[in-house]
Amino acid sequence: MKTNHAQVEINDLRDLIQLCEQMGELKRVKAEVDWNLELCHIAKRNEEQNGPALIFENVKGYKTPVLTSVFMKPKHVAMVFNMPLQSTIFDLAKKWISITEKGGIPPKLVSNGPVMENIKTGDDVNLYEFPVPKYFPKDGGRYFGTSVCLITKDPETGFVNLGTYRMEMLDEKSLGALILKGKDADITMKKYQARNELMPAAAVIGGDPRLFFLSACSIPYGVSEYDIAGALRGKPVEVIESDLTGLPIPAHAEIVAEGFIDPNPENYRDEGPFGEYTGYYSKGRMPRPWLDVKRILHRNNPIFWGTTVGRPPTTNVLIHSLAKTAALWEQLNQMKIPGIQSVYFHPAAGRFWAVISVKQMYPGHARQAGLAAFATVVGNYGMKGVIVVDDDIRADDWDRVMWALSVRYNPVEDTEIIKKGRSTALDPSLPMGNRHICSRILMDATIPYEWEDKPELVEMDEDMMKRVNERWSEFGID
Ligand SMILES: Cc1cc2nc3c(=O)[nH]c(=O)nc-3n(C[C@H](O)[C@H](O)[C@H](O)COP(=O)(O)O)c2cc1C
């Protein structure tokens, strides 16, 4: 497919900034702005009015600029997928599937890179040198890690994971992290705990922007985000093997804080709360793992990258929508459920609701597709509802989906309730302190395959429609 933007090859954050600027998708804020709430509140208002990415060039007390509001729109993602700017989430998900099905491209080890331009150890390690924002008044502190990738390595298999977990600046050398149960870094951390060893970890800001995008997506344990990023960019991500932690660090990262996390819960420190993507706070300040930062690496004139979380619209919901659309579609294909036409997670519904369009081939087929969705890796985590529609409706055509719910769905007959499934601890619709399990609903808005007497659809005459389309310009309507 031909893209309608200049072919700027995006290898790092600076390339994305350049392309966004060329496409009129980035504004530079030159007025002085406080890192304390003001920066976030400007970004939030901008995001609510569907504005461009922002670079705050004059953060009070700092020289380092702060980038926000990236990946708020499908356009921004289209740039790193090298797709036309008008691409929908649906188009991007299809591209993602086609690329990842071909397999990943592992990272390439290089001996040096811009991230090594400044190396700070010992007393020079000071996270306060960066304009780390405080986002919302009730947040527990300043959050270094929002647009962050935490790199960890499985001590048994060597699998390298990149995951986005919020990271609060606890002091100049410590970053408290929320790593929810069952997340990849949690699985890895438990292995270090069993071995009674510290877990090497690196919090990375910048580098290839695909890395942040992918580290916020639930990619199965054992599949490295580095490899998928390589596949998306069509060549390997360049990494440097750290002589401190042994971890592969993106050579073009802006800022890296590396060190060790003690997996022993007795040594956790208080972290949180933080305004989460659901628009609510969950638990308050409580003991959580923290990164003991032994070394900071950064490029000359680094760019700090942050993401407002809180109530949608946010970066998270778009990433969730795209990643989950692609992952569910792919996983249903892998399960060999026939007839899947399309899959969609609406951005406002985040991870919680999916629509599946299926071409029914046998009785019970639509239910099978819906129930299978709950059993996938992606659907098993926090998904509360699936709506199944017939193949004459695209899963992302919300008007038609509502129509199907209105005229092809009979609640008592067409609903399946599952009482217990894995949830996210951040879901505010669940009681505090008991958020690991939620119920699920399947709404089958298809016309049952087995009905002999199916309702008759009002259809237009194909030949007449063709004629109307050919003569359309004559009518002077558009
Ligand atoms: C800005 C942002 C903040 C996030 N914060 C957290 C967090 O604090 N803890 C967490 O477990 N997941 C968080 N997530 C979601 C994870 O990034 C996501 O579940 C991802 O799949 C985790 O990586 P993993 O699959 O390698 O574990 C956040 C996502 C974004 C975009």
Side-chain angles (χ1 to χ4, degrees):
M1 207 184 310
K2 218 171 164 301
T3 57
N4 55 2
H5 50 82
Q7 299 291 306
V8 171
E9 195 176 317
I10 296 180
N11 290 319
D12 66 9
L13 193 59
R14 295 173 190 210
D15 295 334
L16 179 64
I17 290 170
Q18 189 197 335
L19 183 56
C20 281
E21 204 156 20
Q22 272 178 18
M23 306 308 296
E25 280 295 326
L26 180 130
K27 283 269 160 64
R28 292 183 180 272
V29 179
K30 302 209 179 279
E32 187 183 79
V33 164
D34 203 321
W35 54 263
N36 191 6
L37 305 180
E38 194 175 25
L39 186 150
C40 168
H41 287 55
I42 297 167
K44 207 70 192 160
R45 176 174 164 172
N46 168 61
E47 289 161 8
E48 277 171 8
Q49 55 196 48
N50 202 24
L54 299 177
I55 290 200
F56 294 91
E57 293 191 328
N58 187 2
V59 181
K60 195 172 169 184
Y62 291 94
K63 289 208 172 72
T64 299
V66 178
L67 175 70
T68 67
S69 315
V70 178
F71 292 142
M72 284 295 301
K73 306 181 193 178
K75 268 184 210 187
H76 299 158
V77 185
M79 290 179 192
V80 294
F81 278 41
N82 209 15
M83 292 272 286
L85 291 191
Q86 65 276 17
S87 303
T88 61
I89 288 172
F90 197 76
D91 301 326
L92 295 164
K94 282 200 283 189
K95 163 100 177 203
W96 181 342
I97 293 170
S98 74
I99 282 181
T100 53
E101 272 176 355
K102 288 185 203 141
I105 300 181
K108 180 175 148 197
L109 212 53
V110 293
S111 56
N112 208 345
V115 71
M116 303 303 282
E117 283 164 354
N118 300 273
I119 302 173
K120 291 172 176 165
T121 54
D123 287 348
D124 292 337
V125 172
N126 182 8
L127 294 163
Y128 288 92
E129 75 170 288
F130 302 107
V132 176
K134 178 170 179 184
Y135 291 89
F136 299 100
K138 291 189 180 165
D139 287 358
R142 298 170 70 177
Y143 273 83
F144 177 90
T146 51
S147 297
V148 74
C149 311
L150 185 73
I151 304 184
T152 51
K153 191 180 197 172
D154 187 309
E156 291 159 10
T157 64
F159 155 63
V160 172
N161 185 67
L162 279 74
T164 297
Y165 314 104
R166 74 186 195 210
M167 302 192 84
E168 182 189 337
M169 215 160 57
L170 302 180
D171 58 42
E172 60 213 6
K173 295 180 183 4
S174 312
L175 291 170
L178 172 71
I179 304 173
L180 290 167
K181 273 190 198 148
K183 297 283 175 103
D184 289 359
D186 178 59
I187 297 172
T188 301
M189 192 166 67
K190 293 216 164 82
K191 294 192 180 188
Y192 283 96
Q193 190 182 358
R195 298 158 78 105
N196 209 12
E197 287 173 14
L198 298 177
M199 176 170 76
V204 174
I205 291 180
D208 187 326
R210 297 170 187 93
L211 292 175
F212 163 61
F213 183 85
L214 292 166
S215 85
C217 299
S218 52
I219 291 166
Y221 196 85
V223 179
S224 182
E225 286 76 4
Y226 269 138
D227 298 7
I228 311 270
L232 277 175
R233 78 207 298 252
K235 60 179 187 181
V237 177
E238 293 188 350
V239 294
I240 297 166
E241 190 175 273
S242 163
D243 56 0
L244 174 73
T245 56
L247 295 168
I249 307 284
H252 294 82
E254 294 294 326
I255 302 167
V256 176
E258 55 169 347
F260 300 89
I261 294 179
D262 185 340
N264 181 354
E266 283 175 17
N267 298 325
Y268 286 0
R269 286 170 63 185
D270 282 355
E271 183 273 350
F274 181 63
E276 283 147 5
Y277 72 90
T278 57
Y280 286 87
Y281 288 96
S282 52
K283 288 191 178 157
R285 199 162 181 77
M286 55 186 293
R288 298 205 166 99
W290 55 281
L291 176 64
D292 183 8
V293 181
K294 297 290 185 200
R295 181 160 84 168
I296 290 178
L297 312 172
H298 69 82
R299 290 178 76 154
N300 291 337
N301 305 314
I303 299 165
F304 189 86
W305 186 7
T307 293
T308 70
V309 188
R311 188 168 55 184
T314 69
T315 298
N316 300 52
V317 288
L318 188 85
I319 293 180
H320 273 148
S321 165
L322 170 54
K324 290 186 189 312
T325 294
L328 182 56
W329 205 334
E330 206 170 17
Q331 287 167 23
L332 288 171
N333 287 344
Q334 283 161 1
M335 288 168 94
K336 307 262 185 277
I337 311 288
I340 303 292
Q341 303 298 299
S342 53
V343 171
Y344 188 58
F345 282 77
H346 190 287
R351 62 162 13 102
F352 298 108
W353 279 85
V355 181
I356 299 172
S357 164
V358 61
K359 181 168 176 49
Q360 297 184 73
M361 298 174 189
Y362 42 82
H365 189 172
R367 300 289 165 107
Q368 180 195 19
L371 292 170
F374 289 130
T376 58
V377 173
V378 61
N380 183 48
Y381 184 51
M383 196 165 75
K384 292 189 213 176
V386 169
I387 301 167
V388 186
V389 293
D390 282 302
D391 61 311
D392 59 337
I393 298 177
R394 268 173 55 143
D396 67 339
D397 186 344
W398 198 243
D399 286 345
R400 290 278 160 91
V401 171
M402 287 308 292
W403 174 65
L405 279 176
S406 308
V407 299
R408 297 180 183 176
Y409 172 69
N410 175 14
V412 168
E413 294 296 324
D414 298 328
T415 305
E416 304 289 347
I417 299 281
I418 294 166
K419 289 197 186 134
K420 285 188 172 186
R422 184 180 175 205
S423 167
T424 159
L426 306 186
D427 180 352
S429 73
L430 302 171
M432 193 71 88
N434 189 17
R435 286 188 171 171
H436 298 296
I437 294 292
C438 68
S439 56
R440 315 205 196 279
I441 183 169
L442 188 168
M443 300 164 91
D444 181 352
T446 61
I447 295 171
Y449 179 87
E450 61 279 14
W451 279 8
E452 280 180 13
D453 193 11
K454 292 196 172 54
E456 195 176 351
L457 192 64
V458 180
E459 285 182 291
M460 287 190 272
D461 183 81
E462 267 186 37
D463 289 340
M464 179 52 73
M465 205 59 231
K466 194 165 168 257
R467 180 180 146 80
V468 166
N469 288 341
E470 280 161 8
R471 294 192 56 210
W472 189 251
S473 57
E474 287 176 43
F475 308 132
I477 295 171
D478 288 340

